[in-house]
Amino acid sequence: MNVFTRPSAAKAVQGTAAQHTGTAAGGQQVTPELKQWLEDHLQAGTPPAQVIEGMVGVGWQTALAWGALAQAQAEFAAAQQAAQKAHSGNLPEPDIADGRSVLDIEGHRVKIATAMKHPRVVVFEGLLTLDECQALVDLSSPRLARSETVDNSNGGNEVNAARTSDGMFFGRGETPLIERIERRIALLLRWPVENGEGLQILRYRPGAEYLPHYDYFDPVHPGSKPILQRGGQRVGTLVMYLSAPLRGGATTFPHVGLEVGPVPGNAVFFSYDKPHPSTGTLHGGAPVLEGEKWVATKWMREGEFR
Ligand code: PD2
Ligand code: ZN
């Protein structure tokens, strides 16, 4: 990413330098705007040299720019560590701290294929049987409609070019199959069934995709308020793959370069302790190139979802 792709970015850096032009060395100060700008780039993984180039380009002295960046890096790392400590034990999380690679959920064996600490991402193998995958596809197909996203101004739904799949929601516990799957998920992630939203089914046809986004509701948007009243913030997402396209359709985590292939029965889980990009959970559904991709998503809330 170019450091100046955000319109406000150049301003954040420039304002600081202009304010202090002509002052003695060390007079260039880290304003709150610059601090935020640096944090955004640390979060986005912008190479340090590129950040420095941006600062020097608007008048920063090179040595001072490196000093400001080093300070921001230290603060960013400390904040991440503190946040992880404060919330550990308070998020959905599989019982794999001892390094085990298989979990037995009431006789159903789920393998741990991949686990990443930050962002917290775990890929499960065999969470659903192929019969369960097919049953979810069959049950949902007659009810599919073009997927919508939240309208940030009022909390309603709107069709959005960023999301070109078709989808539907099951009610929680709507059928015995769904009840069984929801119970398995609750035991796997040690998070109450009552805190889960109803299962969402998505179908992606060739060309359909879900552009990178965060699953939490940004509290600054007025539309988040009514949504947050129903069980608080989302804290975890489980995307279960029901059918695989022939090409394309991975679930991507652009901040960490991770791509999870859609293998039927497998699932990718990620959690986020606060509604902030520093969780590193930006993720998307890459375009399906050939065939169809079906997924079931379970979102988990902080409190009981009604
Ligand atoms: O289908 C996916 O891979 C995908 C990607 C990003 C699903 C979701 N987000 C979601 O359901 O939130
Ligand atoms: Zn998502």
Side-chain angles (χ1 to χ4, degrees), residues 237-257:
T237 304
L238 180 75
V239 178
M240 294 164 278
Y241 303 105
L242 307 180
S243 88
L246 293 172
R247 290 190 300 127
T251 304
T252 63
F253 293 80
H255 281 168
V256 286

Side-chain angles (χ1 to χ4, degrees), residues 70-111:
Q71 167 97 12
Q73 281 169 327
E75 285 171 11
F76 184 71
Q80 275 189 329
Q81 263 174 16
Q84 264 165 19
K85 218 170 168 182
H87 287 276
S88 59
N90 204 16
L91 287 172
E93 173 69 15
D95 187 11
I96 54 172
D98 62 0
R100 74 183 66 192
S101 55
V102 180
L103 284 166
D104 187 316
I105 311 293
E106 296 184 324
H108 185 97
R109 277 166 64 86
V110 180
K111 281 193 194 160

Side-chain angles (χ1 to χ4, degrees), residues 30 35 38-39 41-43 45-49 51-52 65-81:
V30 180
K35 212 170 157 197
L38 285 166
E39 193 185 311
H41 283 292
L42 288 172
Q43 184 53 50
T46 308
V51 174
I52 299 301
W66 278 108
L69 178 59
Q71 167 97 12
Q73 281 169 327
E75 285 171 11
F76 184 71
Q80 275 189 329
Q81 263 174 16

Side-chain angles (χ1 to χ4, degrees), residues 200 202 204 210 213 215 239 251 283-285 293 295 297 299:
Q200 180 201 234
L202 292 178
Y204 299 79
Y210 198 171
H213 60 274
D215 280 353
V239 178
T251 304
H283 66 288
K293 169 191 171 191
V295 302
T297 303
W299 286 293

Side-chain angles (χ1 to χ4, degrees), residues 276-295:
H276 194 270
S278 63
T279 55
T281 56
L282 185 72
H283 66 288
V288 165
L289 303 174
E290 194 180 347
E292 279 188 4
K293 169 191 171 191
W294 289 70
V295 302

Side-chain angles (χ1 to χ4, degrees), residues 117-139:
K117 283 207 162 65
H118 190 86
R120 183 52 168 160
V121 178
V122 181
V123 179
F124 298 111
E125 261 177 45
L127 175 57
L128 300 178
T129 66
L130 295 184
D131 283 350
E132 287 169 338
C133 292
Q134 190 57 49
L136 287 175
V137 168
D138 293 343
L139 263 179

